[in-house]
Amino acid sequence: MKYELPELKKWVFEVVMPIRWGDMDAMGHVNNTTYFRYLETCRIDWMRAVGCMPNPQGQGPVIVNAFCNFYRQLEYPGDICVKMYASHPARTTFETWATIERVDQPGVIDAAGGATTIWVDFPKQKAIDLPDWVRALVS
């Protein structure tokens, strides 16, 4: 199943990171699970940058699903740019989307993915309304 990134989305963050030798598998290209790590790293760096880290004694974001479409193989060596977008805030959730491209091939999308984030009261283990400041970030 292939998921398409929406046309209407808001750029919120980007990060450049190296492709590491250990990211490759026996086939000589970046292992599919590593793409999810790249997406996670960008998402966490963005959340840290905006003060959106989870508080186990309070509330914060939890990923409830994630996907990645693989378009081209990535190989070591090289650097990638992961661009993060957000959209579709609902009562308790919002969507994040990301593209992955090699720095030396700007505009050529190697992979694209996304995740649904739900805002949770951790002690109660229950979804709660997005705080206004989070809603403003992703709207």
Side-chain angles (χ1 to χ4, degrees), residues 106-125:
V108 178
I109 305 300
D110 297 294
T116 301
T117 303
I118 190 167
W119 202 258
V120 173
D121 178 313
F122 292 113
K124 293 180 182 175
Q125 294 288 297

Side-chain angles (χ1 to χ4, degrees), residues 17 27-28 32 65 68 78 81 90 92 97 99 107 111 115 127 130 137:
M17 62 186 88
M27 300 301 294
N32 64 319
N65 72 25
C68 186
C81 180
T92 62
W97 318 90
T99 58
L130 288 174
L137 283 173

Side-chain angles (χ1 to χ4, degrees), residues 97-108:
W97 318 90
T99 58
I100 299 173
E101 58 189 58
R102 288 182 63 100
V103 170
D104 60 356
Q105 297 176 344
V108 178

Side-chain angles (χ1 to χ4, degrees), residues 43-44 47 52-56 58-66 92-96 115-123 125-128 130 134:
R43 189 172 51 248
I44 294 299
M47 288 182 177
C52 187
M53 292 304 292
N55 173 1
Q59 55 182 251
V62 173
I63 301 304
V64 294
N65 72 25
T92 62
T93 64
F94 64 92
E95 303 294 330
T96 57
T116 301
T117 303
I118 190 167
W119 202 258
V120 173
D121 178 313
F122 292 113
Q125 294 288 297
K126 182 178 177 181
I128 58 175
L130 288 174
V134 173

